Amino acid sequence: MQQRFAAALADRKANGQFRELHAVEPARPGYVRRNGREILDLSSNDYLGLAHHPALIERSCEWARAMGTGARASRLVVGTLEAHSAIEAKIARFKGSEAALLFASGWQANAAIFPALLSLAPGAAIFADRLVHASIHHGISAAGQRQIRFRHNDLDHLEQLLDERAKGADALFIVTESVFSMDGDRCDLVRLSQIARAHGAFLIVDEAHATGVLGEGGAGLSADLPDKPDLVMGTFSKGLGSFGAYVAGSQQLCDYLVNACGGFIYSTALPPPVLGAIDAALDLVPQMDAERRHLAALADSLRAGLHDLGFDTGASDTQIVPLLVGAEEEALAMSRSLEERGILCTAIRPPTVAKGSSRLRLALSSAHREVDVDALLHGLAKSR
Ligand SMILES: *Cc1c(COP(=O)(O)O)cnc(C)c1O
């Protein structure tokens, strides 16, 4: 195996696809420190600057002191604390769902939910947006099922595929994200939920990048719908500044997952310090409209500035703004040149995005200010 590792790594290096880990140290919100220097951070998903919020830190420490650093067991054994149940009830209120269930991470939730759901429907047809997250692809293939992919955010294409391919299936699933992680565009959830209802399909929406940021009170785009998706998942690791994930849906759905979802059953419960941070974030987020407005205004001015410089930002209309470059090498060169100017924005390349669509993914935080956007635009103008 050592020889195979070496060959696989050499292959990646030869193709310019070798990846490595670069450490940063925390700095004030919106910035990180690298090699002793404070640099503007446009690559993190800490959209509301909560990862260093005193209220989250304080409750996290408090709960660690009161309940310890570990949950000691999985939820079904003796790992369920009062705090888990209380937070699940809080999430359900936040999302406007009947019930909610905590998961160790967003990746784990997606990887584990699909095998549990699809074991009830082995002849299902699963329609997924082409650009859904790697964890969703993983979950569906772990279930041993194939997916029918519709063109990104093209609901006409979805309807056409439903007409052609739904016949004979023993259940229909539609899977998408409310905000796409690498493009910063939104799905039309109103129309999508009508399509799902009309076809009797089970609708699954990943709100990783909308939770905390969009929708009434930051509860995500699905929270605004009168007719909610059947399963909404989201994370606490991005806008909510800590770690872990949730599934929101019916009580029966959550009860079923407790009984059938391996990633829930065979994994240790989230620990008290993480629960404390989640609990504090859930208290703060509904009141953060000013931060959400500021974030949206920053994103508008970033897009306007990029367009003035002749850059393409695709269909972005959220806090995630892709600067579409195309060639991998060019995206890497821009990222390096910006880092020399004190601005961190990692180049995103295949296989994370499609070949020829390498980009700088600019992710704003409400901790950023207009001067930060100006600094980036200035850096880009200089480095062309
Ligand atoms: C980040 C992300 C996840 C995974 O969440 P983690 O909590 O980081 O594991 C899942 N889905 C989408 C769309 C994401 O962007």
Side-chain angles (χ1 to χ4, degrees):
M1 283 309 291
Q2 297 302 332
Q3 280 169 8
R4 295 182 199 199
F5 297 149
L9 292 171
D11 219 40
R12 280 176 169 72
K13 279 184 183 153
N15 294 326
Q17 290 184 333
F18 182 69
R19 302 176 181 212
E20 55 192 332
L21 304 171
H22 296 284
V24 294
E25 290 164 60
R28 66 192 155 112
Y31 287 75
V32 288
R33 199 171 281 286
R34 182 171 274 173
N35 305 324
R37 193 166 61 124
E38 190 174 81
I39 53 180
L40 178 59
D41 174 15
L42 293 169
S43 287
S44 293
N45 304 313
D46 183 23
Y47 303 127
L48 297 173
L50 288 177
H52 291 272
H53 195 285
L56 274 71
I57 294 170
E58 195 174 315
R59 203 167 303 173
S60 179
C61 293
E62 248 174 52
W63 287 25
R65 281 194 204 94
M67 295 177 250
T69 52
R72 299 161 298 116
S74 67
R75 291 287 300 278
L76 279 169
V77 181
V78 288
T80 297
L81 298 164
E82 195 56 47
H84 289 103
S85 316
I87 287 175
E88 284 167 344
K90 214 169 192 172
I91 298 162
R93 281 198 298 280
F94 180 59
K95 297 295 294 182
S97 63
E98 194 181 13
L101 196 62
L102 287 165
F103 278 81
S105 75
W107 200 92
Q108 189 178 5
N110 282 335
I113 290 163
F114 287 93
L117 295 176
L118 296 173
S119 71
L120 294 181
I126 305 143
F127 298 85
D129 187 290
R130 253 185 179 301
L131 296 189
V132 293
H133 194 257
S135 54
I136 295 175
H137 294 309
H138 183 88
I140 296 170
S141 63
Q145 306 262 63
R146 291 175 61 84
Q147 45 184 302
I148 300 167
R149 296 192 188 183
F150 57 93
R151 286 192 291 269
H152 175 51
N153 271 344
D154 184 344
L155 299 186
D156 290 334
H157 189 220
L158 169 64
E159 286 198 300
Q160 181 197 327
L161 288 173
L162 279 162
D163 288 341
E164 292 167 7
R165 315 274 296 269
K167 283 184 254 356
D170 79 350
L172 303 178
F173 291 83
I174 300 174
V175 191
T176 194
E177 297 177 18
S178 57
V179 170
F180 282 81
S181 53
M182 296 300 147
D183 294 79
D185 54 351
R186 313 175 189 210
C187 171
D188 177 355
L189 285 184
V190 174
R191 181 167 166 215
L192 182 62
S193 56
Q194 285 162 358
I195 294 173
R197 280 301 156 258
H199 287 81
F202 189 90
L203 177 59
I204 300 176
V205 177
D206 180 329
E207 294 240 63
H209 295 277
T211 306
V213 180
L214 296 169
E216 179 82 32
L221 294 177
S222 68
D224 294 348
L225 299 172
D227 184 15
K228 307 266 184 287
D230 300 287
L231 187 160
V232 177
M233 72 75 68
T235 69
F236 300 109
S237 51
K238 290 166 180 160
L240 270 67
S242 65
F243 197 68
Y246 62 84
V247 162
S250 70
Q251 187 64 54
Q252 275 187 355
L253 166 69
C254 293
D255 291 348
Y256 174 70
L257 292 174
V258 168
N259 281 275
C261 184
F264 178 88
I265 298 169
Y266 300 109
S267 187
T268 300
L270 280 178
V274 170
L275 295 177
I278 293 173
D279 192 61
L282 287 170
D283 286 345
L284 283 172
V285 158
Q287 308 159 35
M288 295 182 78
D289 284 342
E291 284 81 356
R292 282 186 281 273
R293 274 196 301 274
H294 170 63
L295 182 58
L298 278 181
D300 284 341
S301 66
L302 174 57
R303 276 185 294 268
L306 290 172
H307 297 162
D308 285 347
L309 291 172
F311 289 116
D312 180 1
T313 61
S316 158
D317 70 343
T318 66
Q319 77 281 5
I320 301 165
V321 181
L323 188 169
L324 297 166
V325 179
E328 277 178 58
E329 278 314 312
E330 201 182 330
L332 280 174
M334 282 174 78
S335 167
R336 271 189 227 110
S337 146
L338 286 169
E339 187 165 343
E340 278 162 24
R341 293 168 195 279
I343 300 166
L344 182 65
C345 47
T346 311
I348 308 283
R349 309 174 275 154
T352 308
V353 293
K355 227 176 156 59
S357 77
S358 289
R359 64 197 63 191
L360 301 183
R361 173 186 181 269
L362 307 168
L364 293 163
S365 160
S366 64
H368 290 135
R369 297 150 303 156
E370 284 288 347
V371 292
D372 297 320
V373 170
D374 293 345
L376 169 67
L377 294 171
H378 186 73
L380 282 167
K382 288 274 180 178
S383 60
R384 302 194 91 182

